[in-house]
Amino acid sequence: MTTPTMAMAARGRGGKLPPEVNRILYIKNLPYKITTEEMYDIFGKFGAVRQIRIGNTAETRGTAFVIYEDIFDAKNACEHLSGFNVSNRYLVVLYYQATKAWKRMDTDKAKEKLEEVKERYGIGGDIEREKEKMLGYTPRRT
């Protein structure tokens, strides 16, 4: 029976990986017309790909997620394909970082909640105008 450690040694891959390395790669600067088949051709050369998700909304066009079966294949692809030229565009290949994605979602949720509170209590966004309403006069501006 082979253990994961023995399998790594057999493949010539010793040592610990940095904490940001994972099986999910985030790809930016893709040509908008790239197909899933072309993505599999490019990224499949580095190992078994479990899934590819290409962005299709206005905010996500030109991006994709590539999920590998093996973390070492993802690391190899990231090292070799970052800066790779596809249709005169240089790919930006990064490891997906869930914490950053969740922070962005938390910020968006907080903004939504703030807008709800503003609407509920009739509070606007202009502090000076709010002061004028409360104090009943217009402060002199210099």
Side-chain angles (χ1 to χ4, degrees), residues 55-101:
N56 56 7
T57 66
E59 298 91 31
T60 61
R61 285 182 71 190
T63 66
F65 289 98
V66 177
I67 305 170
Y68 279 92
E69 294 287 342
D70 183 51
I71 193 169
F72 291 102
D73 294 338
K75 182 177 185 289
N76 195 18
C78 187
E79 290 171 354
H80 287 88
L81 291 176
S82 196
F84 185 73
N85 190 329
V86 177
S87 300
N88 292 326
R89 298 180 70 91
Y90 295 98
L91 300 184
V92 177
V93 182
L94 306 165
Y95 295 108
Y96 173 68
Q97 295 177 327
T99 54
K100 285 188 178 180

Side-chain angles (χ1 to χ4, degrees), residues 5-138:
T5 316
M6 290 170 63
M8 282 193 315
R11 293 172 81 171
R13 300 171 176 160
K16 291 184 87 175
L17 291 172
E20 71 273 6
V21 176
N22 63 60
R23 296 181 313 116
I24 306 170
L25 299 180
Y26 177 59
I27 319 305
K28 299 192 306 185
N29 204 34
L30 284 167
Y32 287 168
K33 296 190 186 268
I34 196 163
T35 65
T36 306
E37 291 76 27
E38 291 170 320
M39 291 288 290
Y40 273 102
D41 286 343
I42 295 168
F43 288 88
K45 292 177 181 167
F46 296 94
V49 174
R50 178 176 285 187
Q51 185 179 44
I52 293 180
R53 304 291 295 241
I54 299 174
N56 56 7
T57 66
E59 298 91 31
T60 61
R61 285 182 71 190
T63 66
F65 289 98
V66 177
I67 305 170
Y68 279 92
E69 294 287 342
D70 183 51
I71 193 169
F72 291 102
D73 294 338
K75 182 177 185 289
N76 195 18
C78 187
E79 290 171 354
H80 287 88
L81 291 176
S82 196
F84 185 73
N85 190 329
V86 177
S87 300
N88 292 326
R89 298 180 70 91
Y90 295 98
L91 300 184
V92 177
V93 182
L94 306 165
Y95 295 108
Y96 173 68
Q97 295 177 327
T99 54
K100 285 188 178 180
W102 285 111
K103 282 182 185 174
R104 188 176 311 121
M105 283 179 59
D106 290 344
T107 303
D108 292 343
K109 284 181 184 177
K111 283 181 184 176
E112 287 175 21
K113 201 172 208 175
L114 179 62
E115 290 304 317
E116 287 174 16
V117 169
K118 282 181 177 181
E119 196 172 301
R120 184 183 310 149
Y121 294 104
I123 301 171
D126 189 356
I127 294 172
E128 292 302 320
R129 191 174 294 154
E130 294 298 322
K131 284 182 185 176
E132 289 172 17
K133 281 183 190 176
M134 290 176 70
L135 300 174
Y137 72 92
T138 304

